[in-house]
Amino acid sequence: MPTRNSVPPGHPFGADARCISCKILKNGIRAVLSKWGRRPRSTTSDEASELLGLVASAIHQAYFSTMPTVPVRPKVDPRIHSSLGRRLLELLRGEIVEGWRDIGVPDTELLPLLVAMERVRVTIQPNWAQSFAQQLSGADGLALLMDVAHDLRSPLTSILVLAETLQRGQSGTVTDVQRRQLGLIYTAALGLSSVASDIIEFTQGGDQLVDQEPSAFSVTAMLESVRDIVRPIAEEKHLTVRLLAPQNDQRLGHPVAVSRVLLNLTTNALKFTDEGYVEIEALETGEGGSHIQFAVRDSGRGIPPEKIATLFQPLRKESGRRGQLFSQTGLGLTICRKLCTAMKSDLKVESRIGWGTRFYFELDLPIMAVRRSGPHAKRNTPVHPVRNSGSHAPRGSGPLKRA
């Protein structure tokens, strides 16, 4: 197998069959293009192929730099000085990292290639912020946001499952310190996964989770699922999560959307509560008990009155990070309000300094008769509010159980 130094560096990209760089880059390009048409874009596969060739040529040039220890910026085509060019570079990098072993190249060749990609990225970076803003305002803006969110959420879901599996001791004995560290990993991954879900739902209008027909579900099981997901956050901060379920448990509605709202509100409540508790309520209201008022109440610091008006504004700006009383971007609460609106409800908030904060909304959820196949009623298993949010269709997967 030829190495980098055994092939003359003067050939253009793709012109020498012996070149390891050409071989790896071509394989990565094929992998990127095979997935390109799966999501709607204004950039066609042919256009993406042309730009990927330009990106690969720049990487190829940097790969054969005679001074590998000096961060020389390669000359690149102006057309890849854009958010799309940078995006294609990142996609190409991801496919190469995942598939380079499949084509049988030496391990020693991967690092020089990654260094070359970084030099190209640095070359594109100065214009990235302006280009990214232009791209977001263009025809591919929503597709770009969705790409980023989808690419984030898939590995984050794996991290959530693995962290919880390890924390439960299924892979061996776990010490108290390791359990706490795994809880921190889980908490961070859950926060990032929720942000990714918020972005996907925001770009799709925020109400796709209620497009399906209503289904029967257990309110209690749904509340328990939300509590199980946020438990590592509560345990890390020594907070109590309390549940208050309705008397009539089986209901007809949109459990994925409801649990998504409750999960987002509960995560926020835990994040901005230093001591005390967070309570998730589902109280029957009105005659007949068909209406349920859902609420998430915390014993946190409370939100100043002048901040209440901006709570539901997406992408809001807040000065300073320490002492924040609520999420800085506002995407999560924006999605919560959109989902409530789609379910013909209104998300409201009450808060006082020193008392805490309470978000609440009311839904008409008809009572369902409990079907018994034996001596005990079978409780409906709720879908996972993170994994089944965004553009994913509900798969009926239940909550993660803890030992």
Side-chain angles (χ1 to χ4, degrees):
M1 178 69 70
T3 62
R4 178 173 49 153
N5 294 329
S6 66
V7 181
H11 70 278
F13 167 65
D16 195 320
R18 300 171 299 165
C19 178
I20 292 178
S21 170
C22 293
K23 187 176 182 179
I24 298 175
L25 289 168
K26 283 183 176 180
N27 188 69
I29 289 174
R30 284 194 296 269
V32 172
L33 291 177
S34 69
K35 302 175 182 178
W36 187 256
R38 297 180 187 176
R39 297 173 191 161
R41 295 179 174 89
S42 62
T43 303
T44 65
S45 294
D46 289 340
E47 293 170 328
S49 177
E50 181 182 3
L51 288 176
L52 278 168
L54 297 174
V55 171
S57 294
I59 296 171
H60 183 264
Q61 177 187 350
Y63 180 79
F64 282 106
S65 171
T66 57
M67 302 179 65
T69 59
V70 179
V72 178
R73 291 186 180 182
K75 294 180 180 179
V76 299
D77 191 289
R79 284 174 289 178
I80 65 173
H81 279 276
S82 64
S83 58
L84 180 58
R86 189 176 185 275
R87 176 65 179 152
L88 289 172
L89 173 62
E90 295 303 324
L91 290 174
L92 185 59
R93 186 207 304 264
E95 295 296 343
I96 287 174
V97 170
E98 284 191 19
W100 68 277
R101 282 194 178 93
D102 298 336
I103 56 178
V105 298
D107 296 3
T108 54
E109 298 300 324
L110 181 60
L111 182 57
L113 194 59
L114 290 176
V115 171
M117 291 184 203
E118 181 62 17
R119 291 183 184 176
V120 175
R121 187 196 66 79
V122 170
T123 303
I124 298 174
Q125 183 70 35
N127 297 326
W128 177 80
Q130 181 179 358
S131 299
F132 185 73
Q134 293 173 350
Q135 187 73 13
L136 283 179
S137 62
D140 277 342
L142 294 182
L144 178 62
L145 279 178
M146 287 186 62
D147 278 344
V148 174
H150 276 288
D151 291 347
L152 280 173
R153 194 168 61 175
S154 181
L156 287 170
T157 299
S158 299
I159 293 172
L160 287 171
V161 174
L162 290 172
E164 188 177 31
T165 300
L166 291 170
Q167 193 179 41
R168 289 200 304 251
Q170 292 183 347
S171 301
T173 304
V174 180
T175 67
D176 290 340
V177 173
Q178 291 170 333
R179 186 172 290 105
R180 179 177 180 273
Q181 291 170 338
L182 288 167
L184 292 173
I185 292 172
Y186 185 95
T187 300
L190 176 61
L192 289 173
S193 182
S194 298
V195 171
S197 296
D198 291 340
I199 292 173
I200 292 173
E201 292 159 21
F202 183 74
T203 57
Q204 293 182 336
D207 58 358
Q208 74 286 346
L209 294 182
V210 294
D211 287 343
Q212 321 118 33
E213 291 296 320
S215 60
F217 69 101
S218 162
V219 176
T220 301
M222 180 189 64
L223 298 181
E224 291 174 348
S225 174
V226 172
R227 180 182 59 187
D228 286 346
I229 294 171
V230 302
R231 181 172 293 169
I233 306 176
E235 290 177 348
E236 171 62 23
K237 301 189 71 174
H238 304 289
L239 298 173
T240 301
V241 178
R242 305 196 299 228
L243 301 182
L244 188 58
Q247 181 177 359
N248 297 288
D249 184 52
Q250 296 292 324
R251 299 286 175 154
L252 183 67
H254 297 91
V256 181
V258 178
S259 60
R260 185 75 181 93
V261 174
L262 292 177
L263 177 62
N264 203 315
L265 295 176
T266 305
T267 303
N268 274 350
L270 289 168
K271 188 185 304 181
F272 302 111
T273 300
D274 297 324
E275 59 181 12
Y277 66 91
V278 170
E279 189 170 68
I280 312 173
E281 304 174 342
L283 304 176
E284 294 179 354
T285 60
E287 296 182 3
S290 65
H291 284 73
I292 292 183
Q293 184 183 90
F294 292 94
V296 175
R297 159 88 158 88
D298 65 63
S299 59
R301 291 162 284 176
I303 304 171
E306 65 272 15
K307 300 290 187 180
I308 296 288
T310 64
L311 273 180
F312 299 101
Q313 293 179 6
L315 305 176
R316 59 174 175 258
K317 298 284 187 180
E318 287 295 320
S319 59
R321 290 187 174 273
R322 288 190 171 273
Q324 285 187 133
L325 300 179
F326 48 85
S327 173
Q328 188 172 5
T329 64
L331 272 183
L333 289 177
T334 301
I335 295 303
C336 288
R337 172 163 278 188
K338 284 180 176 291
L339 288 172
C340 288
T341 301
M343 292 185 288
K344 298 180 174 55
S345 183
D346 186 20
L347 179 60
K348 301 178 181 179
V349 59
E350 55 182 351
S351 184
R352 297 191 300 274
I353 300 299
W355 174 82
T357 302
R358 181 176 182 265
F359 286 89
Y360 61 99
F361 59 98
E362 187 170 310
L363 296 174
D364 182 10
L365 303 176
I367 300 172
M368 298 294 293
V370 177
R371 297 181 179 180
R372 295 180 181 270
S373 56
H376 300 286
K378 181 181 179 181
R379 176 180 293 176
N380 294 30
T381 304
V383 292
H384 195 288
V386 172
R387 295 177 192 168
N388 298 115
S389 61
S391 60
H392 296 294
R395 295 192 298 264
S397 59
L400 299 173
K401 300 294 184 182
R402 293 186 180 273

